[in-house]
Amino acid sequence: MQPTVSQSAAPDYDIGKLSIVKPRHYGRWLAAAAILAILLFIVKAFADGQIAWRVVGQFFTAPAILSGLVNTIAMTVCAMALGITLGVIFAVMAMSPNPVLRGTAVLYIWFFRGTPLILQLLLWFNLALVFPRIGIPDVFSIRTVELITPFVATLLGLGINQGAYTAEVVRSGILSVDSGQTEAASAIGMTRLTALRRIVMPQAMRVIIPPVGNEVISMVKLTSIASVIQYSEILRNAQTIYYANNYVIELLFVAAIWYLAVVTVLSIGQHFLERHFGRGQRKTASAQKTGALT
Amino acid sequence: MTGAAPMLVARNLTKQFGSFTALQDVSLDISPGEVLCIIGPSGSGKSTFLRCLNQLERLDGGAVWIDGELIGYRRVGDKLHPLSDAEVARQRLATGMVFQRFNLFQHMTALQNIVEGPITVQKRPRAEVMAEALALLDRVGLADKRDAYPAQLSGGQQQRVAIARALAMKPKLMLFDEPTSALDPELVGEVLAVMRGLAGSGMTMIVVTHELGFAREVGHRVVFMDRGAVVEAGSPQQILSNPQQARTRDFITAVLN
Ligand SMILES: Nc1ncnc2c1ncn2[C@@H]1O[C@H](COP(=O)(O)OP(=O)(O)OP(=O)(O)O)[C@@H](O)[C@H]1O
Ligand SMILES: [Mg+2]
């Protein structure tokens, strides 16, 4: 620096004595006020409206509602389990070097993605019209109407349909894993299936979990269409009650609150699953570093 | 390098990708304990050659024997029957492979990467495998990184773990495909040091490399490949200091400058 430059013109490099002013988020306050006003308006409207909140509270834990809730959850779990199992099997088939397996998988995905879910449910439920008895000829057979209960028809309908979508999700997850991982697995003597199970799938999970998590949440709500084939899930039971007592909105509210509760719990679970399968990734790596290496 | 039965025999290897010939009539023998370095321009078929040796690529012609065993086929009379996926996987246990881009299993720690093969594939007792893996980590200078994920390691560290992972399978032959090409210059030395030690311990090695210094110092034999064929082979001294073929000379001049 040249001595001729005067002291007043030189910038002041010492900011240690200065303090930082907290930014005032006017926009946030404004938005909060507006939203609050709208919320208050809605709450007031419902409070003044023709809703018997007492009935909502009364039926919230009614036995029929709770058993419907259990059925909804049971169906979600079973249908997703079937869907994920089929999804993984058909995704692996779709990527197999065997053309027959590949063709089968393509056909499955084509059919079950290509027809409406409600139609598939009705087909399963009415299977007895096509096959009055099913089983192995001369060994064992059962009347189809006894086998295909509303539960079984719903499970088959939702699970098999879900499998077609999950197959695509799983396939994209597998494709997302670098081919070098499979080659390295082969190089240490793994067979194709072992490499898939030990190396590729665990890494594909990171890509697979978020969409499958979404699908579980959709499934919770999708089970409600099973009411068309008399499966007693929560919405159907709520309807049965309001046909009798005419508290339509109240019972729909009861069901809505339960759906929200279940979905909230599931979303939290999804968050932890994603964290588990994200291990070894750059983003989580720094957090683990401090813990794992001292 | 004398007298003993060869560790690897490759005869007239040919590999096509569509109408493009990536390997043309390549023949090479390697003795136990020999370190063979392969040099050559990009696209000359060096990686393809290594990948054919451990059956990551299927040959279109020719055959490979490792320690006397025909690779990829079972011979019944005059007929060759292609081996199943499981049999090919078993044959791959004879070779360890180190890749240019490391290819460590991203969801496993350094230690887990090393023990995965011995435990899952070879079904060896866990305690024994763990002890060996820790000794291997120590040998490649990474004992303190046993619980680090690949994403937490530098390139040179990842490649050293990859070498340990291959060694944990106790292969008869190690294949290195440009193990230092993806590394920053200051990290090349640590990987070459591990490989030098390995060569010193008597491991049979085929090393594709652009590190001519390493080839000269550690290699017993150097092969120059171009356009899918072996152009020239000989001692490091012959090939690197006194090449007979113009193509070899041009390549070495280009690499050195
Ligand atoms: N899977 C493939 N499909 C089509 N062509 C391929 C395939 N793999 C390799 N090739 C071609 O075969 C030739 C030899 O490739 P290879 O990877 O063996 O070269 P290289 O000597 O290892 O080169 P580099 O030094 O760049 O790694 C190249 O021209 C490449 O484009
Ligand atoms: Mg290469």
Side-chain angles (χ1 to χ4, degrees), chain B residues 2 5-6 21 23 50 52 56 62 75 78 124 134 138 156 177 184 198-199 202 204 212 224 245:
Chain B
T2 52
T21 305
L23 285 183
L50 286 194
C52 287
L56 287 177
R75 185 171 170 177
D78 288 344
R124 290 171 45 204
L134 291 174
D138 201 34
D177 190 1
D184 292 336
L198 192 56
T204 314
L212 300 188
F224 174 71
Q245 302 287 328

Side-chain angles (χ1 to χ4, degrees), chain A residues 178-194 197-200 202-203 277 279-282 284-290 292-293, chain B residues 51 54 56 85-86 89-90 92-93 95-97 99 101-108 113 116-117 120-121 144-145 147-149 151-153 165-166 169:
Chain A
D178 182 55
S179 65
Q181 296 285 310
T182 321
E183 293 193 344
S186 301
I188 59 166
M190 286 191 183
T191 58
R192 226 176 65 83
L193 278 181
T194 309
R197 186 171 56 82
R198 294 286 308 167
I199 307 302
V200 178
Q203 296 184 64
F277 283 105
R279 70 190 188 282
Q281 286 308 118
R282 272 276 179 214
T284 52
S286 56
Q288 288 163 345
K289 205 168 202 165
T290 47
L293 314 163
Chain B
R51 292 164 60 81
N54 77 348
L56 287 177
D85 186 35
R90 184 190 57 75
R92 286 203 185 103
L93 295 178
T95 51
M97 177 120 178
F99 299 88
R101 287 177 50 244
F102 331 133
N103 295 348
L104 287 183
F105 304 134
Q106 296 296 314
H107 60 307
M108 294 181 177
N113 263 278
E116 177 64 19
T120 311
V121 180
D144 57 330
K145 296 293 185 193
D147 294 321
Y149 284 94
Q152 298 165 338
L153 297 173
R165 175 177 70 181
M169 306 297 291

Side-chain angles (χ1 to χ4, degrees), chain B residues 91-169:
Chain B
Q91 284 192 331
R92 286 203 185 103
L93 295 178
T95 51
M97 177 120 178
V98 175
F99 299 88
Q100 184 172 356
R101 287 177 50 244
F102 331 133
N103 295 348
L104 287 183
F105 304 134
Q106 296 296 314
H107 60 307
M108 294 181 177
T109 62
L111 184 61
Q112 288 168 341
N113 263 278
I114 297 172
V115 301
E116 177 64 19
I119 291 178
T120 311
V121 180
Q122 295 177 319
K123 308 267 191 289
R124 290 171 45 204
R126 188 174 184 87
E128 177 192 313
V129 170
M130 280 293 185
E132 280 181 20
L134 291 174
L136 276 170
L137 270 176
D138 201 34
R139 182 167 165 194
V140 299
L142 291 172
D144 57 330
K145 296 293 185 193
R146 50 174 282 182
D147 294 321
Y149 284 94
Q152 298 165 338
L153 297 173
S154 73
Q157 292 170 335
Q158 288 189 56
Q159 193 62 297
R160 285 185 281 154
V161 173
I163 293 173
R165 175 177 70 181
L167 291 176
M169 306 297 291

Side-chain angles (χ1 to χ4, degrees), chain B:
Chain B
M1 272 123 280
T2 52
M7 176 60 78
L8 177 136
V9 175
R11 281 291 136 76
N12 309 105
L13 305 193
T14 301
K15 175 70 194 175
Q16 305 264 137
F17 291 110
S19 61
F20 177 80
T21 305
L23 285 183
Q24 202 163 17
D25 229 14
V26 175
S27 296
L28 274 176
D29 287 11
I30 291 130
S31 315
E34 185 174 9
V35 176
L36 177 87
C37 293
I38 303 179
I39 59 172
S42 182
S44 57
K46 308 179 299 290
S47 298
T48 306
F49 176 66
L50 286 194
R51 292 164 60 81
C52 287
L53 297 185
N54 77 348
Q55 308 187 61
L56 287 177
E57 301 286 356
R58 190 160 271 257
L59 284 169
D60 294 312
V64 177
W65 288 261
I66 293 179
D67 208 11
E69 185 179 348
L70 177 63
I71 289 303
Y73 296 95
R74 190 180 31 244
R75 185 171 170 177
V76 182
D78 288 344
K79 295 223 158 52
L80 292 178
H81 298 267
L83 295 181
S84 69
D85 186 35
E87 291 165 316
V88 169
R90 184 190 57 75
Q91 284 192 331
R92 286 203 185 103
L93 295 178
T95 51
M97 177 120 178
V98 175
F99 299 88
Q100 184 172 356
R101 287 177 50 244
F102 331 133
N103 295 348
L104 287 183
F105 304 134
Q106 296 296 314
H107 60 307
M108 294 181 177
T109 62
L111 184 61
Q112 288 168 341
N113 263 278
I114 297 172
V115 301
E116 177 64 19
I119 291 178
T120 311
V121 180
Q122 295 177 319
K123 308 267 191 289
R124 290 171 45 204
R126 188 174 184 87
E128 177 192 313
V129 170
M130 280 293 185
E132 280 181 20
L134 291 174
L136 276 170
L137 270 176
D138 201 34
R139 182 167 165 194
V140 299
L142 291 172
D144 57 330
K145 296 293 185 193
R146 50 174 282 182
D147 294 321
Y149 284 94
Q152 298 165 338
L153 297 173
S154 73
Q157 292 170 335
Q158 288 189 56
Q159 193 62 297
R160 285 185 281 154
V161 173
I163 293 173
R165 175 177 70 181
L167 291 176
M169 306 297 291
K170 302 188 198 279
K172 297 173 182 169
L173 169 70
M174 285 284 287
L175 309 175
F176 292 85
D177 190 1
E178 301 197 34
T180 59
S181 302
L183 299 179
D184 292 336
E186 76 270 24
L187 301 179
V188 168
E190 63 190 47
V191 172
L192 291 183
V194 168
M195 292 169 61
R196 201 175 289 125
L198 192 56
S201 74
M203 175 61 81
T204 314
M205 296 164 56
I206 304 181
V207 184
V208 172
T209 186
H210 290 305
E211 299 291 332
L212 300 188
F214 177 84
R216 184 189 301 276
E217 182 200 338
V218 181
H220 299 124
R221 201 148 48 105
V222 173
V223 170
F224 174 71
M225 282 183 72
D226 193 14
R227 287 181 228 149
V230 172
V231 176
E232 195 169 357
S235 70
Q237 183 64 25
Q238 281 170 342
I239 302 298
L240 300 175
S241 304
N242 190 20
Q244 300 304 305
Q245 302 287 328
R247 273 193 279 169
T248 317
R249 256 196 308 275
D250 293 346
F251 174 75
I252 289 169
T253 315
V255 171
L256 290 180
N257 294 317

